Amino acid sequence: MTQHLDSKRLPRSRPRPGHGKVLAAVLGLVAALSLGAMGEARATSPTATSAASPDRWTDRAHGFASLAGGTTGGAGGKVVTVTDQASLAKYAAAPEPYIIRVAGSIAVEPFGSDIVVGSDKTLIGVGDTGEIVHGELHLNPGTSNVIIRNLTIRDSYVEGDWDGKTTDFDAIQMDTVDHVWIDHNRFTHMGDGLLDIRKDSQYITVSYNQFSNHNKAFGIGWTTNVRTQITVDHNWFTGTKQRNPSADNCAYAHLYNNYLSAQVADGDPTWTYGNWSRGRTRMVIENGYYDGVQHPYQADATAELVERGSILRNTTGRTDEWGAAFDPREFYDYRLDPAAAVPALVKRFSGPQQRIGGVTLNVPADYPTVQLAVDAVPDGNTVPVTIAVAPGTYREKVFIPASKPDIVLQGTGRDRSDTVVVFDTPAAYGGSTGSATVRIAANDVTARNLTFSNDFDEAAHELNGEQALAMKTTGDRIVFEDTAFLGNQDTLMTDSPKLDVISRVYVRDSYIEGDVDFVYGRATTVIERSVIRALSRGSGTNNGYITAASTWTGNPYGFLITRSKIVSDAPAGTFHLGRPWHPGGEPAAVAQVLIRDTELPAAIKASPWTDMSGFSWKDARLTEYRNFGPGAAVTADRPQMSEAGARDHTVADYLQGTDGWAPYARH
């Protein structure tokens, strides 16, 4: 962006941190304040994390579905959104892995038809409105690694066929499959079973679903072999008659924290029941809640059933317990809720949830690089996709194109320095834009708990073009929270697609370092509650410039730095607050910068603004307001904004635009 300064080659007072590592001193300072890919991409020693949320869902299967390699569904594949039967059928049956988001209601024709689901698929409802009507999801023998979440599957019931003898219109049916997770769905009013898991299917978990308004709710088995391992937890069975569930010849059936209520009462003395351990099944029931249920739990003489901790209310009939069954904790860990809490928990958290409909792409567990995860996001994306980046150093370049909005880049380490995206390209190789480690051209992108670095070592190279960006944005409504930007010249560029297009960027609780023009561009940018470190280049007179705004003259709001702290290891009186950048000599690019309520170090010059490329700083809009610290002063060369002007130059004023954008209100 800016011209090279001869003085930049003077020795620096400290070594440049290598490969994107944040200095311990910087971390201490922040704590004290309370504040397409180029080259071979790789991740160094990252650790995947997937903590349970207070909302009781994660994107990782638990129970038996988590064993023997786990159940990941379409992880590693592309994300698609479907709104019609043809698209759903196409992607569900495809040989490649897919994460398939079902948006709105899809009516299946002919009535009761199957949608075949192949291996390595995730089907997930968008928000809580994704549903499949009049149709069945069918998993053929040999299918493996399938996740079905957050969907409503309903209404293939044929009037008068209460026993399902003439149709086989299940909600989900699977035969001889392995590794399937059925989670947070609603199944109601179907033609035969709501959920049929049959013929030696293995490593299955059924969690947080609702089964309602049906006769034969949930059957497991239809085999003489004893192979199936299944976990059934936190499901709500209400208005159902039988199979809640029925488990036939299961090697291990673990049922815990399920809620059975309002059972259909039609006077049937045998086939109205709750749970049934059939054949040679070994079943363990823990902390269930049975309210208004006939035969809450029963077992064949050949089966085993261990029950502990359940509550029975208004129940009659069999409560069989015999045999040793098995100990589930020998297979996996799990959280057991008190039985008394089950009705409220299950009512609140079972079935489709508004906040589950988003998609999380895990790096490197499912996608080895950040760019590959970005590539998996669909063009025209309208639902937020989180790219969860595990701790590690990712030496790669990342580009989020304008066609992929609504992305959240989330570092999952304890500190932003745990997760680093870094590369080392200077402007000499591809221009200023081409030097950027990360480029964000899309709208509505948020990055949290990450470090972005360009660790090009300018002192070790003789190049005419040493600008080396850690980050460049051109999209609108970009948010950086708890992020670090490491570089020297041109570290952070917040721009827009063209001069008279206004893009907005909000940076909060973050850290930015550099020496020459290291916060620059024409986007409307707010930097709040952050640390800005002006690096010394070893000069006794001029060590650099913090800002270089190129704000369009028709835009009253360029850069606002507020409630922040500028620090520096440069000698006193050797650093500028900024200078006006007119790219290509563009006269309509007239810098606007306000630094207010911010601590300034002694390194700031007494006359902190300066000319650039023949353009006078006095013709730009460069002001301060109520700054403090050893580098703050009020002089003729330091324009101060008036009280009235300051009231119109707040964080809200800079960011609200015409759509009322207020990212700061989330805090």
Side-chain angles (χ1 to χ4, degrees):
M1 179 276 292
T2 56
Q3 72 264 29
H4 172 71
L5 294 179
D6 293 338
S7 60
K8 283 195 72 178
R9 290 215 170 275
L10 293 173
R12 286 183 291 271
S13 61
R14 66 174 181 84
R16 178 78 177 98
H19 303 293
K21 294 182 179 177
V22 182
L23 294 180
V26 173
L27 299 178
L29 174 62
V30 175
L33 285 170
S34 299
L35 296 172
M38 180 180 295
E40 181 181 359
R42 63 183 184 273
T44 305
S45 301
T47 302
T49 61
S50 182
S53 78
D55 298 306
R56 290 179 167 259
W57 55 76
T58 72
D59 61 349
R60 292 301 190 193
H62 61 279
F64 278 111
S66 69
L67 304 182
T71 304
T72 58
K78 290 190 175 297
V79 180
V80 295
T81 301
V82 299
T83 58
D84 60 82
Q85 180 178 349
S87 298
L88 173 61
K90 170 187 172 183
Y91 290 114
E96 307 88 359
Y98 277 104
I99 298 171
I100 305 166
R101 301 187 296 192
V102 179
S105 182
I106 296 178
V108 175
E109 297 180 351
F111 187 94
S113 296
D114 292 350
I115 300 291
V116 174
V117 180
S119 298
D120 304 319
K121 302 293 184 296
T122 294
L123 275 69
I124 185 167
V126 173
D128 56 3
T129 61
E131 62 177 13
I132 298 169
V133 185
H134 310 322
E136 171 186 309
L137 298 180
H138 190 91
L139 282 62
N140 287 320
T143 302
S144 65
N145 193 32
V146 173
I147 296 173
I148 300 172
R149 303 188 77 195
N150 218 48
L151 286 169
T152 293
I153 306 178
R154 63 176 176 86
D155 293 330
S156 67
Y157 178 69
V158 175
E159 196 64 37
D161 189 20
W162 175 242
D163 287 331
K165 297 297 186 183
T166 61
T167 65
D168 190 16
F169 298 161
D170 301 327
I172 302 175
Q173 184 181 111
M174 60 192 77
D175 292 340
T176 322
V177 303
D178 68 274
H179 291 93
V180 177
W181 183 27
I182 309 295
D183 180 69
H184 279 96
N185 301 289
R186 178 184 298 114
F187 306 117
T188 186
H189 206 223
M190 298 298 287
D192 182 27
L194 294 177
L195 178 58
D196 276 3
I197 298 172
R198 318 189 316 173
K199 300 179 181 178
D200 304 332
S201 296
Q202 300 190 74
Y203 300 111
I204 314 293
T205 295
V206 179
S207 54
Y208 288 94
N209 301 284
Q210 295 177 1
F211 300 82
S212 68
N213 191 19
H214 199 77
N215 181 355
K216 303 171 182 176
F218 175 8
I220 314 161
W222 289 269
T223 178
T224 58
N225 299 317
V226 184
R227 294 180 181 171
T228 298
Q229 310 95 340
I230 188 165
T231 301
V232 181
D233 71 279
H234 293 91
N235 298 282
W236 185 11
F237 299 84
T238 183
T240 59
K241 174 178 166 66
Q242 59 180 305
R243 300 183 185 175
N244 299 290
S246 164
D248 181 34
N249 285 322
C250 289
Y252 307 107
H254 183 204
L255 284 59
Y256 68 94
N257 290 147
N258 296 294
Y259 179 36
L260 280 68
S261 70
Q263 184 182 53
V264 171
D266 61 359
D268 185 334
T270 302
W271 299 103
T272 302
Y273 62 89
N275 313 138
W276 195 339
S277 180
R278 305 180 67 173
R280 289 179 289 163
T281 292
R282 285 172 285 188
M283 179 180 287
V284 174
I285 299 174
E286 298 183 280
N287 290 22
Y289 198 105
Y290 302 81
D291 187 359
V293 178
Q294 175 181 279
H295 306 315
Y297 42 86
Q298 60 187 359
D300 290 353
T302 53
E304 300 180 31
L305 193 157
V306 170
E307 183 281 324
R308 46 182 173 258
S310 297
I311 291 176
L312 279 65
R313 183 174 179 271
N314 301 320
T315 63
T316 60
R318 297 173 62 176
T319 53
D320 301 335
E321 299 181 52
W322 50 69
F326 66 103
D327 181 1
R329 294 197 186 276
E330 292 184 356
F331 295 89
Y332 52 80
D333 292 327
Y334 57 99
R335 178 177 66 184
L336 192 61
D337 291 308
V342 165
L345 285 173
V346 169
K347 284 181 179 180
R348 178 179 177 186
F349 292 111
S350 67
Q353 305 285 317
Q354 176 67 35
R355 291 175 56 197
I356 289 184
V359 171
T360 299
L361 310 181
N362 294 282
V363 179
D366 303 324
Y367 302 82
T369 69
V370 178
Q371 186 63 55
L372 285 174
V374 170
D375 293 344
V377 178
D379 287 344
N381 180 52
T382 58
V383 178
V385 174
T386 297
I387 297 176
V389 188
T393 298
Y394 299 82
R395 182 157 284 277
E396 60 171 306
K397 302 189 78 168
V398 176
F399 175 51
I400 302 178
S403 61
K404 296 179 185 288
D406 289 300
I407 289 177
V408 176
L409 294 175
Q410 177 74 54
T412 62
R414 296 183 64 180
D415 190 271
R416 64 189 174 217
S417 63
D418 294 338
T419 310
V420 180
V421 182
V422 57
F423 216 73
D424 58 356
T425 304
Y429 308 140
S432 181
T433 296
S435 77
T437 297
V438 177
R439 287 193 294 141
I440 300 174
N443 295 340
D444 300 299
V445 174
T446 295
R448 299 190 186 98
N449 201 38
L450 291 160
T451 292
F452 303 104
S453 174
N454 191 320
D455 63 356
F456 168 69
D457 188 352
E458 61 185 23
H461 298 83
E462 285 287 346
L463 293 174
N464 184 20
E466 292 183 342
Q467 300 91 338
L469 282 64
M471 171 67 67
K472 177 177 180 178
T473 71
T474 52
D476 188 26
R477 297 183 298 272
I478 308 298
V479 176
F480 295 105
E481 297 174 334
D482 191 23
T483 50
F485 305 90
L486 309 184
N488 284 121
Q489 184 171 352
D490 296 5
T491 304
L492 172 62
M493 182 183 191
T494 56
D495 216 34
S496 69
K498 59 181 181 178
L499 178 64
D500 58 354
V501 173
I502 298 175
S503 292
R504 292 159 293 171
V505 178
Y506 181 54
V507 183
R508 180 163 176 154
D509 298 322
S510 294
Y511 171 84
I512 309 165
E513 72 169 32
D515 47 36
V516 173
D517 307 330
F518 62 96
V519 177
Y520 78 107
R522 62 174 170 245
T524 293
T525 303
V526 171
I527 300 172
E528 184 177 25
R529 290 189 358 184
S530 296
V531 175
I532 299 171
R533 187 175 189 88
L535 302 176
S536 175
R537 294 180 297 127
S539 172
T541 57
N542 181 14
N543 279 290
Y545 319 86
I546 294 171
T547 66
S550 54
T551 320
W552 174 46
T553 188
N555 181 6
Y557 301 115
F559 280 96
L560 170 63
I561 298 173
T562 181
R563 300 170 62 204
S564 295
K565 183 171 185 175
I566 298 174
V567 299
S568 183
D569 57 355
T574 63
F575 227 101
H576 296 86
L577 290 177
R579 53 185 182 170
W581 178 39
H582 293 256
E586 172 58 62
V590 182
Q592 193 281 320
V593 178
L594 168 61
I595 301 176
R596 63 176 295 173
D597 302 299
T598 290
E599 183 175 351
L600 304 182
I604 299 302
K605 285 177 171 285
S607 298
W609 309 102
T610 190
D611 302 341
M612 184 177 183
S613 302
F615 289 91
S616 172
W617 71 268
K618 294 180 180 180
D619 296 328
R621 299 166 286 175
L622 307 174
T623 54
E624 300 176 70
Y625 178 73
R626 289 196 320 197
N627 292 324
F628 57 96
V634 177
T635 70
D637 284 338
R638 302 187 74 153
Q640 302 294 308
M641 183 168 282
S642 67
E643 293 281 349
R647 286 194 292 270
D648 294 329
H649 285 76
T650 65
V651 172
D653 293 316
Y654 274 73
L655 298 179
Q656 65 186 351
T658 59
D659 56 6
W661 190 50
Y664 50 86
R666 297 199 297 255
H667 297 269

mmCIF file of all heavy atoms in Angstrom, residues 335-354:
data_model
loop_
_atom_site.group_PDB
_atom_site.id
_atom_site.type_symbol
_atom_site.label_atom_id
_atom_site.label_comp_id
_atom_site.label_asym_id
_atom_site.label_seq_id
_atom_site.Cartn_x
_atom_site.Cartn_y
_atom_site.Cartn_z
ATOM 1 N N ARG A 335 -23.369 -38.262 31.565
ATOM 2 C CA ARG A 335 -23.925 -37.493 32.674
ATOM 3 C C ARG A 335 -25.329 -37.987 32.953
ATOM 4 O O ARG A 335 -26.189 -37.976 32.071
ATOM 5 C CB ARG A 335 -23.953 -36.005 32.332
ATOM 6 C CG ARG A 335 -24.570 -35.157 33.453
ATOM 7 C CD ARG A 335 -24.514 -33.668 33.136
ATOM 8 N NE ARG A 335 -25.334 -33.313 31.999
ATOM 9 C CZ ARG A 335 -25.392 -32.078 31.489
ATOM 10 N NH1 ARG A 335 -24.646 -31.127 32.012
ATOM 11 N NH2 ARG A 335 -26.168 -31.821 30.454
ATOM 12 N N LEU A 336 -25.567 -38.394 34.190
ATOM 13 C CA LEU A 336 -26.870 -38.911 34.586
ATOM 14 C C LEU A 336 -27.600 -37.836 35.379
ATOM 15 O O LEU A 336 -27.157 -37.426 36.453
ATOM 16 C CB LEU A 336 -26.678 -40.175 35.425
ATOM 17 C CG LEU A 336 -27.911 -41.023 35.710
ATOM 18 C CD1 LEU A 336 -28.523 -41.544 34.409
ATOM 19 C CD2 LEU A 336 -27.536 -42.187 36.622
ATOM 20 N N ASP A 337 -28.723 -37.360 34.842
ATOM 21 C CA ASP A 337 -29.516 -36.356 35.544
ATOM 22 C C ASP A 337 -30.440 -37.021 36.564
ATOM 23 O O ASP A 337 -30.864 -38.174 36.380
ATOM 24 C CB ASP A 337 -30.356 -35.565 34.544
ATOM 25 C CG ASP A 337 -29.510 -34.684 33.649
ATOM 26 O OD1 ASP A 337 -28.695 -33.911 34.187
ATOM 27 O OD2 ASP A 337 -29.647 -34.777 32.415
ATOM 28 N N PRO A 338 -30.775 -36.301 37.637
ATOM 29 C CA PRO A 338 -31.731 -36.862 38.602
ATOM 30 C C PRO A 338 -33.071 -37.141 37.934
ATOM 31 O O PRO A 338 -33.540 -36.354 37.104
ATOM 32 C CB PRO A 338 -31.848 -35.758 39.659
ATOM 33 C CG PRO A 338 -30.661 -34.876 39.467
ATOM 34 C CD PRO A 338 -30.307 -34.965 38.015
ATOM 35 N N ALA A 339 -33.692 -38.238 38.315
ATOM 36 C CA ALA A 339 -34.963 -38.600 37.691
ATOM 37 C C ALA A 339 -36.009 -37.504 37.874
ATOM 38 O O ALA A 339 -36.806 -37.238 36.963
ATOM 39 C CB ALA A 339 -35.466 -39.921 38.264
ATOM 40 N N ALA A 340 -36.025 -36.843 39.018
ATOM 41 C CA ALA A 340 -37.030 -35.811 39.268
ATOM 42 C C ALA A 340 -36.904 -34.636 38.310
ATOM 43 O O ALA A 340 -37.876 -33.921 38.054
ATOM 44 C CB ALA A 340 -36.923 -35.331 40.717
ATOM 45 N N ALA A 341 -35.710 -34.432 37.764
ATOM 46 C CA ALA A 341 -35.495 -33.312 36.844
ATOM 47 C C ALA A 341 -35.825 -33.660 35.401
ATOM 48 O O ALA A 341 -35.865 -32.769 34.544
ATOM 49 C CB ALA A 341 -34.042 -32.853 36.933
ATOM 50 N N VAL A 342 -36.050 -34.934 35.124
ATOM 51 C CA VAL A 342 -36.176 -35.384 33.738
ATOM 52 C C VAL A 342 -37.348 -34.744 32.997
ATOM 53 O O VAL A 342 -37.171 -34.284 31.854
ATOM 54 C CB VAL A 342 -36.232 -36.924 33.681
ATOM 55 C CG1 VAL A 342 -36.732 -37.417 32.327
ATOM 56 C CG2 VAL A 342 -34.844 -37.498 33.965
ATOM 57 N N PRO A 343 -38.573 -34.693 33.544
ATOM 58 C CA PRO A 343 -39.660 -34.098 32.747
ATOM 59 C C PRO A 343 -39.360 -32.684 32.268
ATOM 60 O O PRO A 343 -39.551 -32.366 31.095
ATOM 61 C CB PRO A 343 -40.852 -34.129 33.715
ATOM 62 C CG PRO A 343 -40.569 -35.291 34.605
ATOM 63 C CD PRO A 343 -39.078 -35.252 34.816
ATOM 64 N N ALA A 344 -38.867 -31.827 33.163
ATOM 65 C CA ALA A 344 -38.587 -30.450 32.760
ATOM 66 C C ALA A 344 -37.449 -30.382 31.760
ATOM 67 O O ALA A 344 -37.519 -29.648 30.761
ATOM 68 C CB ALA A 344 -38.262 -29.611 33.999
ATOM 69 N N LEU A 345 -36.390 -31.155 31.992
ATOM 70 C CA LEU A 345 -35.258 -31.138 31.071
ATOM 71 C C LEU A 345 -35.657 -31.617 29.683
ATOM 72 O O LEU A 345 -35.320 -31.004 28.670
ATOM 73 C CB LEU A 345 -34.130 -32.018 31.613
ATOM 74 C CG LEU A 345 -33.312 -31.464 32.774
ATOM 75 C CD1 LEU A 345 -32.364 -32.532 33.300
ATOM 76 C CD2 LEU A 345 -32.523 -30.245 32.335
ATOM 77 N N VAL A 346 -36.363 -32.718 29.642
ATOM 78 C CA VAL A 346 -36.698 -33.314 28.351
ATOM 79 C C VAL A 346 -37.721 -32.454 27.608
ATOM 80 O O VAL A 346 -37.635 -32.285 26.382
ATOM 81 C CB VAL A 346 -37.183 -34.757 28.549
ATOM 82 C CG1 VAL A 346 -37.777 -35.310 27.266
ATOM 83 C CG2 VAL A 346 -36.036 -35.637 29.023
ATOM 84 N N LYS A 347 -38.674 -31.900 28.323
ATOM 85 C CA LYS A 347 -39.630 -31.019 27.656
ATOM 86 C C LYS A 347 -38.924 -29.817 27.029
ATOM 87 O O LYS A 347 -39.278 -29.375 25.937
ATOM 88 C CB LYS A 347 -40.687 -30.536 28.647
ATOM 89 C CG LYS A 347 -41.740 -31.564 28.997
ATOM 90 C CD LYS A 347 -42.748 -30.978 29.978
ATOM 91 C CE LYS A 347 -43.838 -31.982 30.323
ATOM 92 N NZ LYS A 347 -44.822 -31.410 31.280
ATOM 93 N N ARG A 348 -37.926 -29.305 27.726
ATOM 94 C CA ARG A 348 -37.248 -28.108 27.237
ATOM 95 C C ARG A 348 -36.275 -28.407 26.109
ATOM 96 O O ARG A 348 -36.182 -27.663 25.129
ATOM 97 C CB ARG A 348 -36.501 -27.438 28.388
ATOM 98 C CG ARG A 348 -35.719 -26.201 27.967
ATOM 99 C CD ARG A 348 -35.009 -25.560 29.139
ATOM 100 N NE ARG A 348 -34.205 -24.425 28.707
ATOM 101 C CZ ARG A 348 -33.387 -23.741 29.494
ATOM 102 N NH1 ARG A 348 -33.268 -24.084 30.773
ATOM 103 N NH2 ARG A 348 -32.700 -22.727 29.020
ATOM 104 N N PHE A 349 -35.535 -29.489 26.237
ATOM 105 C CA PHE A 349 -34.396 -29.687 25.344
ATOM 106 C C PHE A 349 -34.595 -30.748 24.271
ATOM 107 O O PHE A 349 -33.772 -30.857 23.370
ATOM 108 C CB PHE A 349 -33.148 -30.031 26.161
ATOM 109 C CG PHE A 349 -32.650 -28.905 27.009
ATOM 110 C CD1 PHE A 349 -32.728 -28.962 28.389
ATOM 111 C CD2 PHE A 349 -32.109 -27.768 26.424
ATOM 112 C CE1 PHE A 349 -32.268 -27.922 29.179
ATOM 113 C CE2 PHE A 349 -31.647 -26.716 27.205
ATOM 114 C CZ PHE A 349 -31.731 -26.792 28.588
ATOM 115 N N SER A 350 -35.638 -31.547 24.340
ATOM 116 C CA SER A 350 -35.826 -32.554 23.290
ATOM 117 C C SER A 350 -36.481 -31.932 22.070
ATOM 118 O O SER A 350 -37.061 -30.845 22.133
ATOM 119 C CB SER A 350 -36.668 -33.720 23.812
ATOM 120 O OG SER A 350 -37.995 -33.292 24.071
ATOM 121 N N GLY A 351 -36.389 -32.640 20.951
ATOM 122 C CA GLY A 351 -36.965 -32.151 19.712
ATOM 123 C C GLY A 351 -36.104 -31.090 19.052
ATOM 124 O O GLY A 351 -35.049 -30.698 19.562
ATOM 125 N N PRO A 352 -36.519 -30.612 17.876
ATOM 126 C CA PRO A 352 -35.733 -29.600 17.154
ATOM 127 C C PRO A 352 -35.547 -28.333 17.977
ATOM 128 O O PRO A 352 -36.456 -27.895 18.689
ATOM 129 C CB PRO A 352 -36.582 -29.335 15.898
ATOM 130 C CG PRO A 352 -37.396 -30.585 15.721
ATOM 131 C CD PRO A 352 -37.704 -31.058 17.107
ATOM 132 N N GLN A 353 -34.355 -27.750 17.867
ATOM 133 C CA GLN A 353 -34.001 -26.546 18.608
ATOM 134 C C GLN A 353 -33.540 -25.474 17.623
ATOM 135 O O GLN A 353 -32.791 -25.755 16.689
ATOM 136 C CB GLN A 353 -32.872 -26.844 19.593
ATOM 137 C CG GLN A 353 -33.164 -27.982 20.553
ATOM 138 C CD GLN A 353 -34.133 -27.594 21.654
ATOM 139 O OE1 GLN A 353 -34.019 -26.503 22.217
ATOM 140 N NE2 GLN A 353 -35.080 -28.455 21.956
ATOM 141 N N GLN A 354 -33.959 -24.261 17.873
ATOM 142 C CA GLN A 354 -33.595 -23.155 16.989
ATOM 143 C C GLN A 354 -32.093 -23.026 16.837
ATOM 144 O O GLN A 354 -31.566 -22.774 15.756
ATOM 145 C CB GLN A 354 -34.179 -21.852 17.543
ATOM 146 C CG GLN A 354 -33.798 -20.605 16.768
ATOM 147 C CD GLN A 354 -34.389 -20.567 15.373
ATOM 148 O OE1 GLN A 354 -35.510 -21.030 15.177
ATOM 149 N NE2 GLN A 354 -33.670 -20.032 14.407
#
